[in-house]
Amino acid sequence: MPITTTTGRPAVTTLGRQERDVLYAVGCGLRDDEIATALAIPEETVAGHLARILTALGLRDRAAAIVHAFDCGLVAPGRGPRRQATGPLPPATARHVPGPRLRISVLGPLRAWRDGQPLDLGHLRQQAVLAALALCAGRSVSRQELTDGVWGEEPPNTNVVPVYIYRLRKVLRTGGDLDSVIERDRSGYRLLPGAVTVDVAQVEELVTAAGAAERAGDLAEAVRACSQALDLFRGEPLAGQPGPLAELERLRLTERRIVIVQRKLDWQLRLGQHSEAIAELSALTVAQPLNEPVAAMLMRALYLSGRQADALTVYDRTRRRLADDLGVSPGHSLRQTHRTILRGDDIRLGLTGTTR
């Protein structure tokens, strides 16, 4: 149904797809938590979309957004607003606010799916152009940025970026609209907000949720959210992708994964899940033999599992690697952990109440 408005305000067609979905749900009288459930997005994302909707349409508050949803024809009479919200959108209504049909993953070999079906993304450089757009989701990327990021100091003889963009539009489009996923504006090209789910963005949303859970004192939920984020990694990020942008992002995303692993393991230790953390910490120390915080966590986990000798062995091994590879001694934190274990001082480890 065409969406028009007679209120003198900007039409909702100026909004992104997910923002229109949020406005529809607001017009139906749903709370932010219900909208988050219906669209399978975090509640904070719903609030952000609503703030942008109010600004884009020049609306004063949520009530004005509800009225506007009716005025422009987005919500039909009889479908809202409800006086009382009793639960998530019923199935018949939820069909009107679907999540993105398209998913892109860069946390491993580049992959894309529409409705669960894998897509052929074409030539390797063409894939790298899509990867650059996915990594810069939320902003436009200029043709020059794409050229520099994908080809570096050996740019192509012809201007192939528009050709690759056209082909990607055909592959990714939903329905017959070439602009349904990738649009061009004055600054360059971008993935339309709400048109596609990118795993990197999902990871950051889950990490944000984990941080909120920690602040609320729910470490078990923080561990769960971090575990979900780590499950999205399917191997080396951007495996096989060419160009300097892919190389830089590959390093950044690899380091990002390690940071998330460390946060999760630290929370597990604080929960007393020492034995559960040992295997993952051991593997991480093999991959990161000079990472002192990881070595310290492994020492704590081993000690509090009744394996003091193994914990001290980890210290000796790390100390030798630091000396041989970097010519330095262990830092204060690792030395302090070592001294605390030698004294058998659980309180100084900050883990009282745990069992050995």
Side-chain angles (χ1 to χ4, degrees):
M1 176 178 64
I3 298 174
T4 59
T5 180
T6 58
T7 63
R9 299 189 186 279
V12 297
T13 50
T14 61
L15 303 176
R17 177 173 303 178
Q18 195 163 79
E19 288 170 350
R20 291 199 299 273
D21 290 343
V22 169
L23 180 58
Y24 170 83
V26 168
C28 289
L30 300 184
R31 303 186 306 264
D32 283 4
D33 61 324
E34 296 177 305
I35 298 172
T37 299
L39 297 181
I41 58 177
E43 192 171 337
E44 309 92 271
T45 302
V46 174
H49 281 316
L50 182 56
R52 287 190 289 274
I53 289 167
L54 297 179
T55 300
L57 300 181
L59 301 172
R60 183 181 64 258
D61 52 24
R62 192 186 195 94
I66 293 173
V67 173
H68 190 81
F70 279 89
D71 287 345
C72 70
L74 186 62
V75 177
R79 292 187 178 177
R82 302 177 313 178
R83 293 189 179 277
Q84 291 184 340
T86 57
L89 259 66
T93 303
R95 284 195 294 270
H96 294 278
V97 286
R101 297 172 53 193
L102 186 69
R103 293 190 297 117
I104 296 176
S105 172
V106 300
L107 298 175
L110 181 69
R111 296 286 187 270
W113 300 265
R114 185 193 299 110
D115 295 331
Q117 297 300 311
L119 300 175
D120 182 357
L121 300 176
H123 187 276
L124 192 59
R125 297 283 184 181
Q126 182 172 301
Q127 294 180 30
V129 169
L130 176 60
L133 295 178
L135 289 164
C136 299
R139 73 173 182 88
S140 295
V141 187
S142 71
R143 187 181 301 180
Q144 190 61 52
E145 279 185 276
L146 290 171
T147 302
D148 293 343
V150 173
W151 285 271
E153 296 181 356
E154 299 180 357
N157 294 326
T158 58
N159 188 10
V160 297
V161 169
V163 176
Y164 287 164
I165 292 291
Y166 174 75
R167 291 176 181 171
L168 289 168
R169 280 173 162 169
K170 291 181 65 177
V171 170
L172 302 175
R173 67 183 174 184
T174 56
D177 185 2
L178 284 180
D179 293 329
S180 61
V181 176
I182 301 175
E183 74 168 359
R184 181 179 180 181
D185 57 26
R186 288 181 299 177
S187 301
Y189 305 96
R190 68 167 184 158
L191 295 177
L192 277 169
V196 59
T197 298
V198 181
D199 56 0
V200 171
Q202 289 180 287
V203 165
E204 295 309 320
E205 288 174 355
L206 287 164
V207 170
T208 298
E214 181 197 25
R215 291 190 294 274
D218 191 348
L219 293 186
E221 175 61 22
V223 169
R224 188 193 66 80
C226 270
S227 296
Q228 285 186 310
L230 293 168
D231 286 343
L232 293 172
F233 286 82
R234 301 175 297 105
E236 182 184 49
L238 297 161
Q241 288 298 310
L245 176 64
E247 182 61 30
L248 287 173
E249 287 295 308
R250 190 175 296 118
L251 294 172
R252 182 185 72 83
L253 293 169
T254 298
E255 289 298 318
R256 184 62 173 148
R257 179 185 178 279
I258 292 171
V259 169
I260 297 170
V261 170
Q262 288 182 224
R263 291 184 70 183
K264 179 180 78 75
L265 292 169
D266 181 59
W267 289 329
Q268 284 183 278
L269 294 184
R270 288 162 60 184
L271 286 168
Q273 299 172 359
H274 313 123
S275 299
E276 296 90 331
I278 286 173
E280 196 167 0
L281 280 167
S282 297
L284 194 54
T285 56
V286 172
Q288 300 271 311
L290 303 177
N291 190 322
E292 295 185 56
V294 170
M297 281 195 290
L298 178 57
M299 291 168 63
R300 288 161 53 194
L302 289 167
Y303 170 74
L304 290 161
S305 297
R307 298 168 58 182
Q308 183 181 31
D310 290 336
L312 297 174
T313 298
V314 171
Y315 177 80
D316 290 337
R317 182 176 66 230
T318 305
R319 177 180 55 79
R320 287 195 300 269
R321 285 297 300 265
L322 289 168
D324 293 344
D325 293 4
L326 303 179
V328 299
S329 300
H332 173 76
S333 178
L334 189 58
R335 293 197 312 271
Q336 182 63 39
T337 301
H338 179 242
R339 287 194 295 267
T340 302
I341 289 173
L342 287 174
R343 290 195 300 266
D345 189 348
D346 292 10
I347 295 176
R348 289 297 298 272
L349 284 173
L351 295 165
T352 55
T354 59
T355 58
R356 291 178 55 182

